[in-house]
Amino acid sequence: MKKFLVALLTLVCAASLVGNYLLFQRYSSQRPLMAIGSKTITIREYQDALDSRYGKEVLNEMAFRELIRQAATGAKVAATETEVRNRIAAIERRDPKAVEAARNSPERMKELEAQVAAN
């Protein structure tokens, strides 16, 4: 019985180490994102470039949107899902191309819904 438990524990530890290694490889910021000749661009370099170009604007927008959502929820005037869908449908009637791009990308659609709910 003792040998079985030691073997099981060894197997679990080995699986954990392999899993952690794979997660590290997947989410490491030093992982190459793109290779151009002999130069590689890492995820970290890409994220730094995005942060320097858009970081503060995006972060401020996210913070303000969350503050508005919390205040609206506290005041019990937050938009319902139905109201958000109706508002998006109205936007789509006025400018179909604006919503069409969002419908093709789940991330963009989520962002549009968050913007409409905050407004």
Side-chain angles (χ1 to χ4, degrees):
M1 183 69 169
K2 200 174 201 180
K3 289 182 181 181
F4 174 75
L5 291 176
V6 169
L8 182 62
L9 183 60
T10 303
L11 182 63
V12 169
C13 287
S16 175
L17 288 173
V18 169
N20 284 325
Y21 175 76
L22 292 174
L23 285 172
F24 176 77
Q25 290 297 317
R26 170 73 174 99
Y27 295 107
S28 172
S29 62
Q30 296 303 316
R31 184 171 55 98
L33 182 63
M34 177 185 289
I36 304 166
S38 62
K39 169 71 175 144
T40 60
I41 299 173
T42 64
I43 290 176
R44 177 60 179 248
E45 292 170 329
Y46 175 68
Q47 288 173 338
D48 289 345
L50 285 177
D51 283 345
S52 68
R53 189 170 295 168
Y54 304 109
K56 294 209 185 280
E57 296 168 20
V58 172
L59 184 60
N60 286 339
E61 182 182 324
M62 291 172 70
F64 286 133
R65 190 178 305 139
E66 182 59 25
L67 287 170
I68 290 168
R69 188 194 65 75
Q70 288 178 6
T73 302
K76 298 184 179 162
V77 293
T80 65
E81 281 188 44
T82 304
E83 291 171 331
V84 170
R85 275 190 254 121
N86 290 341
R87 184 96 182 253
I88 290 173
I91 293 169
E92 189 171 24
R93 284 192 296 275
R94 283 190 312 252
D95 187 8
K97 290 183 180 180
V99 179
E100 180 181 339
R103 290 209 190 276
N104 293 333
S105 168
E107 294 85 19
R108 285 186 181 176
M109 193 62 186
K110 185 176 178 182
E111 180 71 20
L112 177 62
E113 289 170 348
Q115 287 175 348
V116 168
N119 288 339

